[in-house]
Amino acid sequence: QVQLVESGGGLVQAGGSLRLSCAASGKIFNINAMHWYRQAPGKQRELVATITSGGTTNYADSVKGRFTISRDNAKNTVYVYLQMNSLKPEDTAVYYCNARTVPMAYWGQGTQVTVSS
């Protein structure tokens, strides 16, 4: 089992920045990759950013150049961050941390990000 706890969401004006954090604990040695997803009202959940155990990153086209995913490995916890700059109203969504293991995927509870115009 892997437990995920997100934090860092909030309300920000367009053009502003936020940093989301995700703390992963439990069987973290099984984690292959970690992701940030988001889901806006009335829309499907979409993949925003990925970081593998080797440090390779990937981003959705809509956030490239504005968002940065990173990770820190502590003894019993993996921290994954999503630095979000130049935020736009269309970035408004609930953001979810996801950890991939074999064969399970784990989700955090989500954190709301609201960008006002």
Side-chain angles (χ1 to χ4, degrees), residues 5 51 54 75 117:
V5 178
I51 187 164
K75 182 177 180 181
S117 57

Side-chain angles (χ1 to χ4, degrees), residues 55-72:
T56 301
T57 59
N58 201 10
Y59 299 92
D61 288 342
S62 59
V63 306
K64 278 182 183 176
R66 300 188 298 122
F67 289 12
T68 302
I69 189 170
S70 61
R71 64 187 286 168
D72 285 328

Side-chain angles (χ1 to χ4, degrees), residues 30-47:
N30 284 338
I31 296 175
N32 296 323
M34 295 191 69
H35 314 269
W36 283 99
Y37 284 76
R38 67 186 181 188
Q39 188 165 19
K43 294 188 176 181
Q44 288 188 330
R45 193 171 294 189
E46 63 170 347
L47 178 61

Side-chain angles (χ1 to χ4, degrees), residues 3-11 17-24 34-37 68 70 77-84 93-98 107-114:
Q3 295 79 42
L4 301 173
V5 178
E6 299 119 330
S7 60
L11 173 64
S17 299
L18 282 174
R19 189 173 89 148
L20 305 183
S21 299
C22 174
M34 295 191 69
H35 314 269
W36 283 99
Y37 284 76
T68 302
S70 61
T77 305
V78 173
Y79 297 93
V80 177
Y81 306 101
L82 187 67
Q83 177 67 43
M84 305 185 294
V94 177
Y95 284 71
Y96 296 92
C97 181
N98 172 278
W107 294 92
Q109 80 284 0
T111 185
Q112 176 70 47
V113 171
T114 303

Side-chain angles (χ1 to χ4, degrees), residues 100-112:
R100 292 287 168 85
T101 70
V102 178
M104 298 289 293
Y106 298 89
W107 294 92
Q109 80 284 0
T111 185
Q112 176 70 47

